[in-house]
């Protein structure tokens, strides 16, 4: 139930490699609760043409799912104007006599497609799945939902044998400017892009509910999908049934500030991994103590900032290596993979001929994958379209990112440049977001999950949202992970008390009587 790797990795790689940079939007403005509690619009039930899912959705079709399109306004301020189509999937409840209703889900991003997300959710739900129609959907402009395409990207120039942090940064600035141009000037995009926003996705979700003839809707969302769920409860409190959000963020922060806040937890996660790697020195040879392991990582990064590390026909500069480290350090179960990647890269940096192991080979393959471009575009749409939390609020001046990146190195030598230099093409986006960010303050019942040592969306952010959602209960797991629910279905160490809390709530509607901290499941530090 984590953010899809193609979204997480693709957005970052696009920013640091081929197509992203300094970013957008004025300081986040927020719509007040009073402005958000207008009566729910009278949305009609639509007659949907259910049929097989797209041919590419093999697993959905094999699972017996049906797919259709819900027609929604491009601009909800002009409901009689131009429309777009939202792709939805449905796996019907198998206990119709005890059917609860619909359970919509979103896997995260921003920019993640979700038509097939119900398939990954269903094993964790166990018997609860039988009581709901499981509804997946691709958010507007993504996947099969009236997709936005940008003009083809020109091939990026690979890193040369010599570079510098400033040179890498300038390359990303030029790439971001080009990405903004080819997205905004392509086809009819100029008319569509202003309507890519989290608030419009929430409106589309309520339109899906109405089209299906349901008075209320249950929901499960992870990461950005969790924040999307909180936005939905604020905008459509009367439409919310049983809402579960996993791995959420501070609603007082902009998206850029959220990236920055990850710097310290990422360094702490690397410290935790370094202790693990030191205990396995005989296998990985990275250092017998945690400081020695950290020194190995730092030596490789320092070298890559001057001379990108060559592995086969590919040169890896420091921004890409930082992103590789970040990808694996998110979850405890990634410790062996991270150690293997660092070992391979350290050998290559020392001039050895390296045959990449499976972990590094998979990352290198993704560098040339079309998924990289798709993930970048999807993330940029909402980061540049939101007027504040949860996805927007990016500074316009590229030098802001550079100064913050340089300043962060003193206390965050590995991840500070990534967290502070994480940029989107929004600095060069034409126009301003049409709406302010969403100020979440309501008492809708919500079940929240959060890993205490999440270094993607820090725990303090979930606490801040928990205080705003006064009807919520928080289930905490003391693990290093991005995402808590359903970990066992992905081959990771499960958190049984969190899984049970979610399934009990979706089954009988009863929130825990108080916030819970799940007992340790043997997580190794």
């Amino acid at each position: 139930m984590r953010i899809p790797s193609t979204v997480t990795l693709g957005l970052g790689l696009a920013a640091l490699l081929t197509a992203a940079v300094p970013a957008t939007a004025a300081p986040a403005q927020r719509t007040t609760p009073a402005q958000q509690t207008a009566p729910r619009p009278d949305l009609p039930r639509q007659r949907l043409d259910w049929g097989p899912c797209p041919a590419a959705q093999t697993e959905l079709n094999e699972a017996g799912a049906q797919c259709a399109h819900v027609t929604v306004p491009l601009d909800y301020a002009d409901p009689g104007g131009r429309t777009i189509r939202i792709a939805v999937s449905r796996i019907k409840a198998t206990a119709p006599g005890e059917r609860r209703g619909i359970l919509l889900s979103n896997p995260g991003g921003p920019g993640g497609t979700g038509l097939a997300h119900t398939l990954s959710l269903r094993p964790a739900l166990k018997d609860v799945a039988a009581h709901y129609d499981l509804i997946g959907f691709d958010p507007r402009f993504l996947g099969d939902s009236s997709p936005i395409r940008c003009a083809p990207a020109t091939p990026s120039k690979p890193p040369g044998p010599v570079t510098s942090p400033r040179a890498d940064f300038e390359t990303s600035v030029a790439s971001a400017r080009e990405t903004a141009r080819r997205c905004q000037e392509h086809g009819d995009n100029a008319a569509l892009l202003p309507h890519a926003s989290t608030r419009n996705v929430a409106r589309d979700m309520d339109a899906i509910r109405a089209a299906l003839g349901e008075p209320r809707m249950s929901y499960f969302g992870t990461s950005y999908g969790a924040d999307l769920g909180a936005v939905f409860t604020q905008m459509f409190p009367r439409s919310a049934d049983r809402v579960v959000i996993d791995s959420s963020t501070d609603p007082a922060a902009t998206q850029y500030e959220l990236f920055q806040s990850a710097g310290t937890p990422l360094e702490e996660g690397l410290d935790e991994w370094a202790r693990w790697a030191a205990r396995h020195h005989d296998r990985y040879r990275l250092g017998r103590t945690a400081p020695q392991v950290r020194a190995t990582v730092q030596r490789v990064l320092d070298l890559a900032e001057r001379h990108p590390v060559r592995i086969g026909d590919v040169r890896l500069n420091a921004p890409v290596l930082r992103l590789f480290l970040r990808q694996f350090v998110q979850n405890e179960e990634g410790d062996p993979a991270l150690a293997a990647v660092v070992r391979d890269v350290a050998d290559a940096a020392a001039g050895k001929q390296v045959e990449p192991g499976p972990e590094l080979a998979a990352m290198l393959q993704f560098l040339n994958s079309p998924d990289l471009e798709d993930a970048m575009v999807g993330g940029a749409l909402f980061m540049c379209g939101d007027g504040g939390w949860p996805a927007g609020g990016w500074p316009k001046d590229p030098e802001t990112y550079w100064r913050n990146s340089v300043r962060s190195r003193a206390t965050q030598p590995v991840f500070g440049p990534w967290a502070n230099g994480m940029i989107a093409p929004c600095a060069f986006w034409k126009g301003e977001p049409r709406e302010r960010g969403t100020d979440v303050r309501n008492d809708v019942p919500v079940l929240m999950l959060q890993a205490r040592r999440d270094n993607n969306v820090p725990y303090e952010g979930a606490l801040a949202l928990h205080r705003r959602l006064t009807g919520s209960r928080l289930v905490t797991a003391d693990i290093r992970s991005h995402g808590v629910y359903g970990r066992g279905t992905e081959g990771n160490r499960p958190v049984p008390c969190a899984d049970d809390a979610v399934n009990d709530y979706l089954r009988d509607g009863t929130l825990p009587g108080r916030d819970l901290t799940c007992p340790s499941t043997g997580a190794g530090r």
Side-chain angles (χ1 to χ4, degrees), residues 100 132 217-219 240-244 505-509:
R100 169 69 194 178
Y132 288 88
M217 175 188 88
S218 294
Y219 177 80
D241 191 6
R242 298 170 184 176
V243 175
V244 182
Y505 176 49
L506 292 175
R507 184 185 296 110
D508 61 30

Side-chain angles (χ1 to χ4, degrees), residues 273 276-277 284 286 328 334-344:
W273 166 79
W276 178 93
Y284 297 106
L286 298 175
F328 286 116
D335 286 353
L338 177 54
V341 167
V342 172
R343 181 68 269 158
D344 284 351

Side-chain angles (χ1 to χ4, degrees), residues 190-470:
L192 300 174
L193 288 170
H195 305 287
S197 70
T198 299
R199 291 176 64 80
N200 275 339
V201 174
R203 292 179 178 111
D204 294 341
M205 289 163 55
D206 200 51
I208 292 170
R209 174 205 58 76
L212 295 174
E214 299 287 340
R216 302 174 76 195
M217 175 188 88
S218 294
Y219 177 80
F220 180 94
T222 304
S223 198
Y224 169 78
D227 296 340
L228 171 62
V231 170
F232 183 83
T233 67
Q234 187 65 41
M235 294 179 68
F236 302 102
R238 290 186 292 148
S239 294
D241 191 6
R242 298 170 184 176
V243 175
V244 182
I245 59 177
D246 187 343
S247 306
S248 50
T249 65
D250 183 351
T254 67
Q255 181 64 273
Y256 177 59
E257 290 167 343
L258 294 174
F259 274 113
Q260 288 182 293
S261 71
T264 295
L266 280 166
E267 296 287 342
E268 293 170 351
L270 194 68
D271 286 338
E272 184 179 319
W273 166 79
R275 293 191 291 270
W276 178 93
R279 295 196 299 270
H280 296 83
H281 174 74
D282 290 347
R283 178 173 181 182
Y284 297 106
R285 300 172 288 110
L286 298 175
R288 296 187 180 279
T289 66
Q292 290 175 350
V293 174
R294 289 281 308 229
T296 298
V297 173
Q298 197 64 53
R299 281 196 301 272
V300 172
L301 287 174
D302 290 345
L303 173 65
E305 288 191 324
R306 303 187 306 274
H307 303 284
V309 178
R310 183 158 194 150
I311 299 179
D313 296 331
V314 178
R315 287 192 180 99
L316 302 177
N317 59 19
V320 173
L321 292 179
R322 283 188 167 93
L323 190 59
F324 283 8
L325 295 172
R326 178 260 186 194
Q327 189 70 7
F328 286 116
V329 83
Q330 288 186 80
N331 296 317
E332 301 166 351
E333 290 82 3
D335 286 353
L338 177 54
V341 167
V342 172
R343 181 68 269 158
D344 284 351
V345 175
D347 286 344
K352 298 180 181 179
Q353 292 293 321
V354 172
E355 181 68 28
E359 300 87 359
L360 180 57
M363 302 294 276
L364 296 175
Q365 181 180 7
F366 190 71
L367 291 177
N368 295 316
S369 167
D371 291 340
L372 173 62
E373 175 64 16
D374 291 343
M376 181 281 297
V377 170
L381 297 183
F382 292 94
M383 292 195 303
C384 300
D386 267 13
W389 187 83
W394 295 79
K396 279 187 171 292
D397 182 4
E399 289 303 309
T400 298
Y401 302 88
W402 173 250
R403 289 192 298 268
N404 291 341
S405 177
V406 171
R407 190 179 301 119
S408 71
R409 289 172 178 265
T411 57
Q412 301 168 15
V414 173
F415 291 110
W418 175 84
N420 291 272
M422 180 59 193
I423 46 186
C426 310
F428 308 104
W429 222 246
K430 296 177 182 178
E432 296 293 334
R434 298 234 173 154
E435 293 187 88
R436 300 174 178 179
T438 303
D439 188 3
V440 173
R441 298 178 188 273
N442 64 65
D443 61 358
V444 174
V446 174
L447 180 62
M448 301 180 62
L449 309 177
Q450 194 80 14
R452 191 183 300 278
R453 305 196 316 274
D454 190 329
N455 53 49
N456 189 312
V457 292
Y459 186 66
E460 290 73 20
L463 294 178
L465 183 61
H466 181 34
R467 290 190 290 269
R468 298 281 194 95
L469 293 170
T470 59

Side-chain angles (χ1 to χ4, degrees), residues 40 53 58 66 93 134 140 148 158 184 189 195 203 214 234 237 253 274 309 324 328 341 356 367 431 473 484:
R40 187 171 70 190
C53 295
T58 304
Q66 299 173 302
L134 303 180
R140 57 171 49 204
I148 285 179
Q184 291 201 298
N189 287 359
H195 305 287
R203 292 179 178 111
E214 299 287 340
Q234 187 65 41
V309 178
F324 283 8
F328 286 116
V341 167
L367 291 177
R473 292 290 183 271
V484 175

